[in-house]
Amino acid sequence: MEQEQITVIIQDQEYKIKCNPDQVELLQKSAVYLDMKMSEVKTMSPSMAKEKIAVMSALNTVSLYLSQEEQVKEYSDACEEIDLLSESLREYGTDQ
């Protein structure tokens, strides 16, 4: 598959990145999100170096991702339990 080069701007710095055409929108959204998170960290700690701002933003983002991943797993487990209970109820109903 042919790669497409796009330009994203994060903290007033341009980055040229190649990606698959079907990933362009996600990459652009990711860059906007990262820029926003880095701006939040910079606002709270204006004297922090850009590299540390990037690391703190990455840690905050990964922490949020892992937390949401755990929630999704819990919801998935709950759905499986509901499916098992529903199946049991259907089987019980046909035994009557």
Side-chain angles (χ1 to χ4, degrees):
M1 180 178 273
E2 183 91 14
Q3 296 258 309
E4 186 172 328
Q5 181 172 316
I6 66 167
T7 301
V8 296
I9 300 172
I10 301 170
Q11 296 293 287
D12 301 323
Q13 188 166 348
E14 285 189 3
Y15 297 90
K16 295 188 183 308
I17 303 170
K18 288 186 178 182
C19 65
N20 293 331
D22 62 339
Q23 296 175 327
V24 169
E25 186 177 350
L26 178 61
L27 186 55
Q28 289 170 331
K29 286 180 181 179
S30 298
V32 168
Y33 182 83
L34 179 58
D35 185 58
M36 181 181 70
K37 290 301 176 183
M38 287 180 70
S39 293
E40 289 174 7
V41 172
K42 186 176 182 179
T43 298
M44 292 183 354
S45 302
S47 62
M48 188 180 286
K50 196 173 225 175
E51 293 80 17
K52 286 188 178 184
I53 291 171
V55 169
M56 293 304 299
S57 300
L59 285 172
N60 290 339
T61 301
V62 169
S63 177
L64 177 62
Y65 170 81
L66 292 175
S67 170
Q68 289 177 340
E69 187 178 53
E70 182 61 31
Q71 283 182 336
V72 168
K73 183 184 179 321
E74 289 173 10
Y75 293 146
S76 177
D77 291 347
C79 286
E80 287 178 22
E81 287 183 42
I82 290 170
D83 288 344
L84 288 172
L85 288 170
S86 294
E87 183 62 30
S88 294
L89 287 171
R90 275 193 292 278
E91 289 174 5
Y92 179 77
T94 58
D95 288 345
Q96 297 294 319

